[in-house]
Amino acid sequence: MTVCTGNICRSPMAEIVLRDRFEAAGLGGRVVVDSTGISSEEHGNPVDRRARRVLAEHGYDTGEGHHARQVRPSDVVSRDLVLPMTSVHARALRRLHGDGNVRMYRSFDPAAPVVTPERADRDEHLLDIDDPWYGGMQDFEDCLAQVEAAADGVVEFVREELARRQA
């Protein structure tokens, strides 16, 4: 599950990209990807029109039928991997269920800063994906680029986890 603030920009973009990558990797039937937000302010709203435009321009599904929703404690407990877009989202998720399955989305980007567990409280913000909602189309392009940069790392991590569970 990917998580951002309102569940209309970053997290649905990441959900769509990940679903596409899992399908391409032959794992689409074995992995469920969804998204939520830590806030209820966008509840029921569709994916932001600018996010849909950028997704379409890059050949992705546009998230038609998506309805923003707020994360619940049961969501965090029931997901094997919870991927917050920022350190603020990570802290909110950890308050719901501890550290166990919460891991910063960009931590899977090989070019992203390395944040060690002992410095996470101080440095985890270095892995934030900025909110494009307040900016222009270039901000949405930048957001998608960051999401794509980490997507293959997420897929590989999940592939390894599935193999480990079958062993």
Side-chain angles (χ1 to χ4, degrees):
M1 178 175 65
T2 61
V3 183
C4 69
T5 303
N7 191 218
I8 61 169
C9 297
R10 291 169 287 185
S11 60
M13 290 172 78
E15 172 188 355
I16 289 164
V17 169
L18 285 175
R19 191 174 293 126
D20 183 78
R21 298 287 174 90
F22 281 120
E23 283 294 328
L27 297 172
R30 298 184 63 198
V31 177
V32 175
V33 182
D34 64 349
S35 64
T36 59
I38 62 169
S39 168
S40 65
E41 67 185 281
E42 297 290 349
H43 183 78
N45 287 338
V47 176
D48 182 278
R49 64 178 169 70
R50 297 162 295 176
R52 288 194 316 265
R53 180 174 153 196
V54 167
L55 287 163
E57 287 173 356
H58 289 267
Y60 292 105
D61 175 55
T62 59
E64 294 301 319
H66 172 84
H67 299 286
R69 69 180 188 86
Q70 185 176 20
V71 66
R72 300 176 304 254
S74 61
D75 293 325
V76 181
V77 171
S78 66
R79 300 314 189 277
D80 293 313
L81 183 61
V82 181
L83 300 164
M85 299 292 119
T86 71
S87 59
V88 170
H89 304 137
R91 284 192 298 277
L93 293 164
R94 290 175 182 132
R95 282 192 298 273
L96 292 175
H97 182 60
D99 281 338
N101 56 354
V102 176
R103 184 160 168 196
M104 292 289 288
Y105 184 89
R106 277 196 68 219
S107 70
F108 290 95
D109 176 353
V114 174
V115 176
T116 60
E118 56 275 356
R119 294 192 50 99
D121 287 346
R122 179 182 164 142
D123 293 342
E124 197 167 54
H125 71 281
L126 298 173
L127 297 171
D128 287 358
I129 295 177
D130 291 332
D131 191 348
W133 193 86
Y134 297 101
M137 289 307 297
Q138 186 58 52
D139 296 287
F140 282 85
E141 290 283 348
D142 294 345
C143 178
L144 181 60
Q146 288 182 316
V147 165
E148 289 178 322
D152 290 337
V154 173
V155 171
E156 188 54 35
F157 175 82
V158 170
R159 181 191 316 277
E160 290 170 6
E161 282 295 304
L162 290 171
R164 185 182 61 76
R165 290 177 185 186
Q166 286 182 329

